[in-house]
Amino acid sequence: MKKLLGGIEAGGTKFVCAVGTGPEDIRAEVRFPTTTPAKTIGRAVAFFQEQEPVTAVGIAAFGPLDPNPRSPTYGCITTTPKPGWANTNFAGAIQAALNVPVGFDTDVNGAALGEWQWGAAQGLDTFIYLTIGTGIGGGAMVNGNLLHGLIHPEMGHIPLPHDWEADPYNGRCPYHGDCLEGMASGPAIEDRWQKKGQELPPDHPAWELEAHYLALALRSFICTLSPQRIIMGGGVMAQPQLFPLVRQKTLDYLNGYVQSPAILADIDRYIVPPGLGNRAGVLGAIALGRQAL
Ligand code: ADP
Ligand code: ZN
């Protein structure tokens, strides 16, 4: 029998908690807004206590966070500007309350693991999962392991070429201004065009510019990590016209240099939406729980 697992998708605006064994078998799910750590983590604990007991829990959380089990601050959200959450020992609180193994990683590493287990990255050993939403983040599996390294990747904060004449927008990253997240996150689109992404028509120039920045970033990720596939999720990627634009521009900016048929002949299967759709986050958390077992 498959072991019952718990997953917590901990986002900056909402939490999703679920109990199950995989995509075909989610037995209970709850979502609630992210408020103070005590209240929000308390609600997650209460949810799991009401369910059939789980054998492990995975937490896929907003960051920055400390995913290194050998570090004294392991399990903590570290330096977030989110009020009250800096230095919160999230994994420790869940472990203490439920007394089961706890997996703890970034939301995007979790989503990457879920996609590897059940979604668009099955059978691969090196790929990235990007989310383009309120922020931009990337998770990576490299040679079969989730990439942590020094802390964890921060793919949203790479610098990009910025043509100030074509796009005079300053960018909104508090640390870097016009980094990738500063230029291409959902809030950056809203700031630049004074309208939310979901309100802009599909032929609006915003999407050409958005695809331009995303493709510049993909070129960098392809050249540094050599991913076998790139999965792109998050609210902004719900615009279906973005995928063809991003694929074409990525080909243009690579300019034939990376000589793989996966890119040159099969770009539609190289840059893809999440196989798990909008459940990538919570299933990723469950996958982290499974790994913790
Ligand atoms: P979060 O990053 O908080 O987990 P999302 O991935 O849904 O949540 O990202 C929210 C951002 O995505 C917001 O800035 C919102 O304007 C933008 N967004 C949501 N839906 C769409 C859509 N259909 N088209 C374009 N942008 C969208
Ligand atoms: Zn930045």
Side-chain angles (χ1 to χ4, degrees), residues 172-227:
R172 55 174 288 130
C173 174
Y175 290 87
H176 317 110
D178 61 354
C179 65
L180 171 61
E181 177 173 296
M183 296 301 271
S185 63
I189 295 172
E190 183 176 353
D191 228 16
R192 184 190 285 107
W193 303 102
Q194 296 296 305
K195 250 187 190 173
K196 285 189 192 301
Q198 50 270 54
E199 291 157 10
L200 294 168
D203 58 353
H204 192 280
W207 303 120
E208 192 79 32
L209 187 67
E210 179 70 11
H212 165 70
Y213 289 130
L214 295 176
L216 285 169
L218 294 200
R219 172 176 135 181
S220 292
F221 301 147
I222 291 167
C223 292
T224 47
L225 288 171
S226 196

Side-chain angles (χ1 to χ4, degrees), residues 7-48:
I8 304 175
E9 178 190 4
T13 49
K14 69 169 192 309
F15 267 45
V16 183
C17 302
V19 166
T21 61
E24 314 306 332
D25 177 30
I26 296 294
R27 312 216 182 140
E29 187 174 303
V30 68
R31 45 191 70 214
F32 44 85
T34 308
T35 56
T36 63
K39 268 195 198 153
T40 320
I41 295 173
R43 277 185 86 162
V45 166
F47 166 75
F48 289 114

Side-chain angles (χ1 to χ4, degrees), residues 229 247 251 260-272:
R229 185 163 293 149
R247 290 178 184 127
L251 285 173
S260 166
I263 295 178
L264 297 175
D266 215 5
I267 192 85
D268 289 355
R269 294 203 313 137
Y270 185 71
I271 298 171
V272 299

Side-chain angles (χ1 to χ4, degrees), residues 2 28 30 49 55 72-73 78 84 92 107 111 122 124 145 164-165 190 202 205 207 217 251-252 271 277 288:
K2 285 188 184 164
V30 68
Q49 284 170 341
T55 52
T73 52
T78 52
D107 43 9
Q122 293 175 65
L124 306 182
N145 293 305
W164 288 91
E165 227 165 277
E190 183 176 353
W207 303 120
L251 285 173
D252 292 348
I271 298 171
L288 289 172

